[in-house]
Amino acid sequence: MNRRHFAWAATALVALTLSTPSFAADELRVMVHSSFALPKPLLAQFEAENKVKLVILKGGDAGEMLNKLILTKAKPVADVVYGIDNTLVGKALAAGVLETTGVPNADAHLGAALAAVDYGFVNLNYDKAMVAKRAVALPKTLQDLTLPAYKNWLVTPNPATSSTGYAFLLATISSMGEAKAFEWWAQMRANGLKVVKGWSEAYYTEFARNKGAYPLVVSYATSPAAEVFYSKDKLTESPTASLNLKGGVFRQVEGVGLVKGGAQPAAALKFVEFMRSAPVQETLQTEMWMYPVHTGTPRAPVMQHAAEPTEFESPAAPLIARKGSEWVARWTKVVLK
Amino acid sequence: MPPLTHRQPGLQSSVWHSSFWLGLLPAAALLVLLIAPLLRLLLAGFTGEVGLPGAVADVSLWQPWQDDYLRWRVLWSLAQAGITCVLAFVLGLPLAWVLARFEFTGRSLVLRLLMLPFVVPTLVAALGVLALWGPHGVLSGWLGIHLQGTPWLLLYGNLFFNLCLVVRAGVDALGQVSARQVAAARSLGATPWRAFWRIEWPAIAPWLMSGLCLVFLYCFAGFGLALVLGGQTYATVEVEIYTLVAHELQLGQASVLALWMLWLTGAVALVYAWLEKRLAAPTRVEPVLRKAPQGLWQWLALLAALAVLVLVCLLPIGAIVWRALAADAWATLLEPDVLAALGNTLRFSVIALVLATLLGVLHALAAQHSVWWRAAAFLPFVVSPVTVAFGLLLLYPSWTASLPLLLAAYALLAYPFVTKALAAGLDSLPPHVLQAARTLGASPWRSFWRVTWPLLRPALRRGMAFAAATALGEFAVTLFLSRPEWTTLTTLIYQRLGHPGQTSLDQAFVLACLLMLLALLSFLMIEWPAPGFENSQQVAGTDVRPKAHKHA
């Protein structure tokens, strides 16, 4: 009996040792949010040119991804991180998960540790068909949305669990001021605001365009272009459009940077440059639906359906870092509790 | 607890000694992986400090009751568990009675299929419920209503798992009602209803109550179902704890909630233990003979019972298969991250199974002569995995992303199945056979190998099957302690669920189908025994009340 147990124990120990991954010297671990997407040949080319093997780790929603980095700080899970944006950079810096020196082209919006890769706008999208069917003019201001005519119109992702929802909340606070903004949210709650966990649930389940009941959704300025791009029929016009209201547009800048304590700083820096190289800047437009930071990058033709908003909110990162979680807690209290 | 007779004559003198040494490893595992993290959590809750960066410490122990939102979460968690108990009881008792008293073709098949929900991973079950009743679900499309955003999704999911548990407990309990007493009551003029009420009900009530206690615990501490089906309004405390850690990094508040969960589940677990203790040991009675249903009403009752079973326990599984077959997404199985997740799932499950078997066997052997050891094996059952994972996270911050910790947690949650099945097997060993072997000159080792082991093997297999199913479908601990590159099938399904578009949903269904196939293998290990082992299997199995996936 004892022999048998000993054999089991030995097997278990051997199995455990064998299965604990020891990271190969030529492996570059890249932490990304779940929306990261680049063509395989492009990634393969990077691997060949730099003689590394890319291990892409999808850490969930951007906020969730950052929390994973923070919770695993003692034993970093990645060498380089892409997808921390201006809403999260303050938290990342405060938690000390980023290598703060040495990243080339560090961006003014993102602080010293991140190089900007792309930017986008969180705004309202509407379903043209349903708005036409309801025969109500589109709202002109956010305040209009609290009127009875727009009862049960808007669906938003929860700022506590979605960076999209968070960005939209920041925009409202930035334009109206904290007190007014939460007053507006309370009125919206009374006017049938629908809250769901994440952006995809809001857009693909509740939004009228996708058989849901809500004509307005918190989404991105590029979403109407994506509708055309992915449509089965050839469309000349998008079935959805952006609705850029004052205080309802947030400019988001996403960056790439080195994880503090990562094992491959040299290769990680190569990856930072790679994300800002011309081929990536060109393809990310229709892969991740963001605008490239390099102004010289030719725009993908389909992006004509995604006009850039001219007015937007972009609160300072340190302020967001200081007040962000307090605002989310207050939002939860005002809208959900 | 059945009487503990001399089972291993050769070891009598050193009983205490051997059970101490045998139990050392499981005890250490429990201490390091369960009790210490819980104490750490208690400490964090009482002092308001949390040993991780980014934490907000200014939370009070009473916050869950002062704050409307958190109070609603706690009360709803209690309510959904309570409502599920009532529904499971109201539906389950008549069902159990019909299955226990009527003989019909396919009865044994139905009883076997009752075990099926036990091995279905929670996330797969949640997807099944969505496929039926979700926004574009099969039944909801057909009936023109969808249940997303209502409490019914979660309650239906709860019933899927727990109705079978109540029915199974009811059938077993009704099998122990004395036929003579029922016959006597009937011959004295009692109506069938009165006979049930006066003779059968008192005999089975304690068993059903203890079963319902388990149901309450599963629903209350459940995570996966509530996460996927609860939405914004009907998620439970466990989901709130997860959200606070993963999305908001509010570890202080999370630990206070986890603490309250611990106390509440502890209280229910005490009631359960008390009920179990009061249960009389099953005595050999002449069971009531089953009769073929006669007349329209009895046939209708049987059909209604089977219809309820199909509706609650089989449809969600069928819906997954249907959606997966209809989906044009089978190519996803060849994607590298799916293959990696499949590899992880298999690798983790095998290692966890080996560890769980080791721990389980040692624990069962140690528990042969000690009621305390037996009770200790239930610890991983009564503490919710989210709480365990969170405690581990607090206690071993530098190990948060280490594979040994993850796998140890897997093994910890799975091993009580092995212990429970094996302990039941040991109890039902006929002592005289072993004594005969010893009298005929067999050494202790030889008599173990030739007599005890073949008799115990079915019980061990059964326990291992449940442990394997638990590990395959593990979800809560994986979400907490895993690193992105250790994505398993369950976490991958959850990720796909969070991605936009019909394609991702189709892929999730295909992956769920794959995971269910794996779980089905363990089901086959449980319910399709090799010929010749059928009898001992059933004896050893009567006491096994599986529960793992509920926690997952």
Side-chain angles (χ1 to χ4, degrees):
Chain A
M1 250 172 89
N2 287 330
R3 243 183 306 172
R4 182 168 200 87
H5 291 149
F6 179 75
W8 269 343
T11 319
L13 278 178
V14 170
L16 264 180
T17 337
L18 288 181
S19 62
T20 308
S22 50
F23 299 112
D26 60 348
E27 228 174 55
L28 181 68
R29 296 167 300 158
V30 186
M31 177 74 108
V32 296
H33 56 50
S34 48
S35 321
F36 174 85
L38 283 178
K40 275 192 188 118
L42 206 54
L43 295 173
Q45 197 188 337
F46 175 82
E47 289 182 315
E49 277 171 12
N50 295 285
K51 297 191 179 55
V52 289
K53 197 182 164 305
L54 281 177
V55 181
I56 306 285
L57 310 171
K58 291 202 171 181
D61 180 84
E64 209 179 341
M65 169 190 84
L66 175 58
N67 287 345
K68 272 190 187 143
L69 284 180
I70 295 174
L71 287 171
T72 55
K73 209 170 69 168
K75 240 183 156 187
V77 293
D79 305 310
V80 55
V81 55
Y82 161 76
I84 293 180
D85 64 15
N86 49 330
T87 65
L88 293 170
V89 66
K91 185 175 173 186
L93 289 173
V97 295
L98 292 176
E99 188 55 60
T100 41
T101 50
V103 174
N105 300 306
D107 183 82
H109 294 99
L110 292 175
L114 292 171
V117 172
D118 51 54
Y119 66 95
F121 301 90
V122 170
N123 67 355
L124 298 181
N125 279 202
Y126 65 93
D127 176 47
K128 289 178 179 170
M130 189 179 257
V131 169
K133 211 171 89 189
R134 294 213 173 168
V136 180
L138 284 166
K140 298 243 171 5
T141 63
L142 284 181
Q143 206 56 46
D144 285 352
L145 275 174
T146 62
L147 298 173
Y150 301 106
K151 195 171 174 66
N152 299 329
W153 267 54
L154 180 63
V155 54
T156 180
N158 188 337
T161 49
S162 150
S163 0
T164 320
Y166 185 46
F168 187 67
L169 168 66
L170 291 175
T172 59
I173 293 174
S174 173
S175 76
M176 301 185 212
E178 202 177 325
K180 276 257 172 62
F182 283 109
E183 208 173 285
W184 179 80
W185 281 103
Q187 288 169 331
M188 285 304 290
R189 174 193 184 155
N191 210 25
L193 171 76
K194 169 89 179 181
V195 179
V196 292
K197 200 175 95 196
W199 170 82
S200 53
E201 220 179 319
Y203 197 84
Y204 284 98
T205 309
E206 304 294 344
F207 185 35
R209 165 72 187 149
N210 294 302
K211 294 188 206 153
Y214 295 83
L216 275 181
V217 62
V218 174
S219 189
Y220 294 88
T222 50
S223 303
E227 287 284 350
V228 174
F229 190 81
Y230 290 121
S231 166
K232 274 184 191 150
D233 325 307
K234 283 225 176 335
L235 297 179
T236 48
E237 197 193 339
S238 177
T240 65
S242 288
L243 179 63
N244 296 315
L245 302 178
K246 170 143 181 57
V249 184
F250 182 88
R251 184 168 187 269
Q252 180 197 19
V253 187
E254 289 185 316
V256 59
L258 272 59
V259 176
K260 191 179 270 178
Q264 301 273 15
L269 281 174
K270 293 278 184 212
F271 190 81
V272 172
E273 282 168 20
F274 168 70
M275 287 305 287
R276 292 169 55 87
S277 67
V280 172
Q281 290 284 304
E282 222 173 306
T283 55
L284 68 78
Q285 299 175 56
T286 52
E287 293 280 342
M288 299 192 250
W289 298 98
M290 299 293 275
Y291 302 99
V293 283
H294 277 197
T295 40
T297 313
R299 283 290 158 93
V302 73
M303 286 300 234
Q304 62 171 315
H305 298 283
E308 286 188 42
T310 46
E311 270 187 72
F312 49 79
E313 311 295 330
S314 213
L319 179 69
I320 299 174
R322 208 171 60 242
K323 301 273 279 185
S325 55
E326 191 188 315
W327 285 334
V328 170
R330 186 164 172 194
W331 183 91
T332 310
K333 203 170 274 174
V334 169
V335 176
L336 291 181
K337 291 182 181 178
Chain B
M1 207 57 66
L4 301 164
T5 44
H6 316 300
R7 296 228 166 68
Q8 290 177 301
L11 298 172
Q12 262 309 301
S13 56
S14 56
V15 160
W16 185 85
H17 209 65
S18 67
S19 73
F20 175 79
W21 287 111
L22 285 170
L24 207 57
L25 190 63
L30 282 174
L31 193 72
V32 173
L33 294 170
L34 196 81
I35 297 166
L38 290 181
L39 289 176
R40 181 68 188 77
L41 200 59
L42 275 171
L43 184 77
F46 276 120
T47 58
E49 69 75 35
V50 177
L52 274 168
V56 176
D58 56 340
V59 281
S60 99
L61 200 55
W62 299 103
Q63 197 186 12
W65 300 104
Q66 291 157 348
D67 181 313
D68 285 346
Y69 173 77
L70 292 179
R71 190 169 51 223
W72 156 250
R73 283 272 171 267
V74 180
L75 291 180
W76 166 246
S77 298
L78 290 165
Q80 54 94 28
I83 297 169
T84 306
C85 280
V86 172
L87 289 174
F89 176 74
V90 169
L91 289 173
L93 181 59
L95 259 168
W97 197 86
V98 165
L99 287 179
R101 294 291 179 253
F102 287 150
E103 185 62 59
F104 55 93
T105 326
R107 179 181 174 274
S108 62
L109 180 71
V110 172
L111 284 182
R112 281 179 172 175
L113 285 178
L114 273 182
M115 297 303 274
L116 197 53
F118 291 133
V119 294
V120 173
T122 11
L123 204 61
V124 176
L127 259 178
V129 173
L130 278 184
L132 281 179
W133 297 107
H136 309 298
V138 182
L139 281 181
S140 49
W142 194 49
L143 297 171
I145 40 159
H146 79 73
L147 299 180
Q148 182 124 343
T150 71
W152 296 108
L153 275 190
L154 180 57
L155 291 173
Y156 182 82
N158 282 345
L159 265 189
F160 166 77
F161 281 126
N162 294 297
L163 184 63
C164 292
L165 191 140
V166 172
V167 171
R168 186 100 189 177
V171 171
D172 286 351
L174 280 163
Q176 312 207 343
V177 172
S178 159
R180 276 190 218 167
Q181 287 186 16
V182 177
R186 291 301 305 275
S187 64
L188 290 172
T191 59
W193 172 246
R194 198 174 156 78
F196 170 80
W197 194 238
R198 299 302 293 267
I199 307 292
E200 291 178 279
W201 170 248
I204 63 171
W207 299 90
L208 277 178
M209 288 308 132
S210 95
L212 287 176
C213 255
L214 270 190
V215 172
F216 190 91
L217 275 180
Y218 296 152
C219 297
F220 187 58
F223 172 66
L225 277 183
L227 181 71
V228 179
L229 302 178
Q232 294 291 307
T233 318
Y234 298 105
T236 59
V237 175
E238 295 291 311
V239 178
E240 186 70 26
I241 295 173
Y242 168 70
T243 309
L244 284 170
V245 175
H247 290 284
E248 300 180 37
L249 223 60
Q250 303 267 6
L251 301 187
Q253 211 174 71
S255 69
V256 169
L257 274 181
L259 208 60
W260 277 102
M261 281 305 281
L262 192 61
W263 286 336
L264 292 169
T265 45
V268 183
L270 273 182
V271 174
Y272 171 64
W274 179 72
L275 277 170
E276 283 275 271
K277 210 176 142 198
R278 284 185 58 214
L279 291 182
T283 43
R284 296 260 163 237
V285 293
E286 236 180 280
V288 178
L289 280 181
R290 290 189 294 273
K291 281 188 281 191
Q294 283 154 356
L296 181 67
W297 286 111
Q298 293 197 347
W299 275 109
L300 277 182
L302 178 62
L303 285 180
L306 293 180
V308 169
L309 269 184
V310 168
L311 190 69
V312 176
C313 299
L314 219 53
L315 269 193
I317 299 175
I320 295 248
V321 178
W322 190 82
R323 286 293 295 264
L325 290 178
D328 188 21
W330 288 88
T332 192
L333 291 180
L334 296 174
E335 283 171 22
D337 49 343
V338 171
L339 291 177
L342 177 63
N344 281 338
T345 302
L346 292 176
R347 194 167 56 130
F348 294 176
S349 298
V350 168
I351 297 171
L353 184 62
V354 170
L355 289 174
T357 308
L358 173 72
L359 286 173
V361 169
L362 287 177
H363 199 136
L365 292 174
Q368 255 184 300
H369 304 280
S370 156
V371 178
W372 284 103
W373 274 120
R374 280 192 181 228
F378 281 92
L379 275 174
F381 276 179
V382 292
V383 185
S384 88
V386 169
T387 307
V388 173
F390 186 47
L392 289 170
L393 210 62
L394 278 182
L395 187 61
Y396 313 108
S398 58
W399 285 70
T400 37
S402 77
L403 200 56
L405 187 69
L406 179 71
L407 293 176
Y410 268 53
L412 184 82
L413 293 178
Y415 99 83
F417 289 104
V418 180
T419 304
K420 202 160 188 234
L422 200 63
L426 285 167
D427 286 345
S428 59
L429 274 188
H432 53 270
V433 180
L434 205 62
Q435 277 155 3
R438 296 281 286 133
T439 322
L440 291 171
S443 68
W445 171 249
R446 195 175 157 77
S447 64
F448 171 83
W449 187 242
R450 299 300 296 271
V451 181
T452 315
W453 173 240
L455 285 172
L456 282 182
R457 219 160 54 186
L460 184 66
R461 189 174 68 162
R462 194 184 177 96
M464 284 174 71
F466 280 123
T470 311
L472 279 173
E474 214 301 314
F475 181 48
V477 165
T478 318
L479 266 188
F480 258 93
L481 297 180
S482 186
R483 290 156 67 121
E485 73 263 37
W486 300 334
T487 300
T488 58
L489 277 179
T490 49
T491 36
L492 193 65
I493 293 172
Y494 184 62
Q495 281 174 20
R496 292 282 156 98
L497 275 182
H499 284 194
Q502 186 63 38
T503 319
S504 310
L505 191 62
D506 285 347
Q507 288 173 351
F509 280 114
V510 169
L511 294 177
C513 221
L514 173 67
L515 185 58
M516 201 158 69
L517 275 181
L518 291 177
L520 217 60
L521 287 180
S522 39
F523 172 72
L524 291 180
M525 270 167 53
I526 304 167
E527 284 297 322
W528 263 267
F533 283 119
E534 187 107 17
N535 287 333
S536 49
Q537 170 101 10
Q538 273 166 5
V539 171
T542 42
D543 192 38
V544 180
R545 292 198 198 121
K547 55 174 330 203
H549 56 281
K550 240 91 331 115
H551 275 179

